């Protein structure tokens, strides 16, 4: 009996040492997001908690690791984010919470359920999870796999904008280009599109062409803004997106994840074709777009 008690005490001592001094985090919070890993990373980067202030800029290792140092009621806290792709459209998110100066005290309080630090940060994370779920419920991405981009004769206008301003920029360019087509009796032969010429991921900028496929005509309203061109058919990965077009770039990240998971070399130059006119209203979840990522010619 005495040996059993000693063994139990040794085990408890070992667990105590591990929990108080070795365990990586004071507390860990885990949930899933219906986003590609890089899409989830972008949402985490935007997070702003009201309960505490940032001590430094978010230190980024890559889109799978993200660390914040924050000040919470005079206490310095580390939030260590880990993002792991589960599927092309699902990411597991783990947040490790560490008190920089009172970790042992905080761990003891967590053990008996009295840590106000963990309680309030957990409330913020639960709220973030709800916001994230509301966001991901507003659209749907379906990966269709490998296909060919449609060949089109086009008129387009070019622009540079932030990725998040894509939809607003598209509306502005449409208000310029569409009347020009009507004034010159040019027949539209398909649906409006944007083609990304360059995607500067580091600065979150895109250089894009917005335009319409047209029936061939010898006389065109070309000027310094309007360009006539042809888009040739090209092997590509395709996804179908349903939702507000301002978030259609979430499909870019899904296709990038799909390409990585299937060892497919692609070009970061998405082509989006839009099948609904937002000005006509309707349920946003029924707005449809087709998204293409060109596959490298060497594939």
């Amino acid at each position: 009996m005495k040996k059993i008690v000693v063994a139990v005490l040794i085990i408890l001592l070992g667990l105590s040492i591990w929990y108080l001094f070795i365990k990586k985090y004071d507390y860990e919070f885990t949930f899933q997001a219906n986003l590609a890993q890089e899409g989830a990373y972008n949402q985490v980067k935007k997070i702003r908690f009201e309960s505490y202030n940032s001590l430094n800029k978010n230190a980024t290792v890559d889109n799978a690791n993200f660390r914040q140092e924050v000040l919470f009621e005079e206490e310095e806290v580390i939030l260590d984010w880990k993002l792991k792709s589960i599927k092309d459209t699902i990411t597991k998110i783990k947040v490790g919470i560490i008190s920089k100066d009172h970790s042992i005290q905080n761990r003891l309080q967590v053990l008996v359920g009295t840590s106000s630090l963990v309680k309030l940060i957990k409330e913020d994370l639960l709220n973030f999870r709800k916001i994230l779920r509301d966001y991901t419920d507003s659209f749907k991405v379906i990966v269709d796999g490998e296909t060919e981009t449609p060949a089109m004769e086009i008129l387009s206008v070019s622009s540079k904008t932030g990725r998040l301003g894509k939809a607003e920029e598209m509306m502005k360019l449409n208000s310029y280009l569409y009347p020009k087509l009507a004034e010159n009796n040019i027949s539209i032969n398909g649906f409006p599109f944007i083609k990304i010429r360059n995607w500067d991921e580091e600065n979150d900028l895109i250089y894009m062409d917005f335009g319409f496929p047209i029936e061939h005509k010898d006389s065109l309203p070309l000027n310094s803004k309007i360009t006539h061109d042809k888009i040739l058919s090209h092997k590509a990965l395709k996804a179908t997106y349903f939702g507000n077009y301002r978030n259609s770039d979430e499909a870019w990240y899904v296709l990038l994840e799909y390409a990585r998971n299937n060892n497919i070399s692609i070009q970061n130059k998405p082509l989006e074709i839009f099948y609904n006119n937002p000005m006509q209203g309707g349920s946003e979840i029924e707005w449809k777009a087709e998204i293409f990522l060109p596959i490298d010619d060497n594939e």
Side-chain angles (χ1 to χ4, degrees):
M1 184 66 179
K2 185 177 180 180
K3 290 182 178 179
I4 295 175
V5 172
V6 171
V8 170
L9 289 174
I10 291 173
I11 291 172
L12 290 175
L13 178 62
L15 288 173
S16 298
I17 292 172
W18 170 81
Y19 181 79
L20 294 175
F21 302 104
I22 301 174
K23 187 171 179 284
K24 189 171 184 180
Y25 303 118
D26 301 351
Y27 185 83
E28 190 171 42
F29 186 79
T30 304
F31 60 101
Q32 289 187 354
N34 293 328
L35 293 166
Q37 182 173 300
E38 196 158 351
Y41 167 70
N42 283 330
Q43 294 302 312
V44 172
K45 279 200 303 184
K46 294 191 298 183
I47 192 171
R48 293 293 182 271
F49 292 139
E50 294 181 358
S51 300
Y52 43 83
N53 301 310
S54 179
L55 288 174
N56 66 338
K57 292 184 177 180
N58 299 324
T60 305
V61 178
D62 52 41
N63 63 23
N65 299 277
F66 188 89
R67 173 171 284 212
Q68 294 172 306
E69 291 189 16
V70 297
L71 187 64
F72 178 87
E73 294 183 349
E74 305 303 320
E75 184 168 356
E76 294 185 26
V77 179
I78 294 172
L79 300 181
D80 197 20
W81 299 76
K82 304 290 184 185
L83 282 66
K84 182 180 180 181
S85 175
I86 303 301
K87 293 172 61 178
D88 302 328
T89 56
I90 299 177
T91 299
K92 179 181 283 188
I93 301 174
K94 291 184 178 181
V95 190
I97 302 169
I98 310 169
S99 172
K100 289 189 71 174
D101 299 319
H102 306 101
S103 182
I104 293 177
Q105 176 184 332
N106 193 47
R107 292 178 188 215
L108 289 171
Q109 291 174 342
V110 168
L111 201 59
V112 295
T114 61
S115 173
S116 59
L117 175 69
V118 167
K119 180 181 178 182
L120 292 175
I121 293 178
K122 185 177 178 180
E123 287 177 359
D124 280 331
L125 290 171
L126 286 169
N127 184 56
F128 172 64
R129 184 179 68 178
K130 180 182 183 305
I131 292 171
L132 204 56
R133 286 180 176 174
D134 289 344
Y135 173 65
T136 56
D137 284 346
S138 70
F139 63 86
K140 179 170 63 174
V141 179
I142 300 171
V143 176
D144 301 301
E146 294 189 27
T147 185
E148 297 278 336
T149 58
M152 298 182 284
E153 183 173 356
I154 64 169
L155 283 182
S156 65
V157 287
S158 299
S159 181
K160 168 188 171 184
T161 186
R163 177 182 55 84
L164 297 178
K166 170 174 62 73
E168 290 75 12
E169 191 69 13
M170 184 172 67
M171 292 171 62
K172 183 177 75 174
L173 297 176
N174 178 67
S175 66
Y176 172 78
L177 180 59
Y178 186 79
K180 297 292 185 183
L181 301 182
E183 290 169 13
N184 290 272
N185 297 315
I186 296 173
S187 298
I188 295 175
N189 185 28
F191 296 92
F193 68 89
I194 62 169
K195 187 175 187 299
I196 306 302
R197 291 180 287 108
N198 182 37
W199 179 8
D200 179 357
E201 292 188 75
E202 182 177 350
N203 297 302
D204 215 12
L205 295 174
I206 54 175
Y207 299 77
M208 57 182 263
D209 297 330
F210 169 82
F212 293 89
I214 61 168
E215 297 283 357
H216 181 75
K217 188 177 181 180
D218 292 332
S219 178
L220 296 171
L222 303 181
N223 57 35
S224 60
K225 292 184 178 180
I226 301 176
T227 301
H228 174 239
D229 202 354
K230 289 184 178 180
I231 294 178
L232 302 178
S233 182
H234 193 284
K235 192 176 180 181
L237 294 179
K238 176 190 171 189
T240 304
Y241 170 88
F242 296 93
N244 192 300
Y245 293 150
R246 68 173 173 264
N247 300 320
S248 58
D249 51 289
E250 293 292 354
W252 305 1
Y253 296 117
V254 170
L255 287 176
L256 287 171
E257 192 72 36
Y258 179 89
R260 279 192 289 267
N261 292 339
N262 291 277
N263 296 315
I264 299 172
S265 179
I266 49 83
Q267 302 171 20
N268 284 16
K269 297 179 179 180
L271 168 68
E272 301 193 19
I273 300 175
F274 306 99
Y275 287 85
N276 296 82
N277 183 351
M279 301 301 292
Q280 294 178 349
S283 173
E284 291 183 358
I285 199 63
E286 295 179 359
W287 296 0
K288 175 184 172 182
E290 290 180 337
I291 318 296
F292 301 87
L293 272 185
I295 295 174
D296 277 341
D297 294 326
N298 294 329
E299 278 289 310

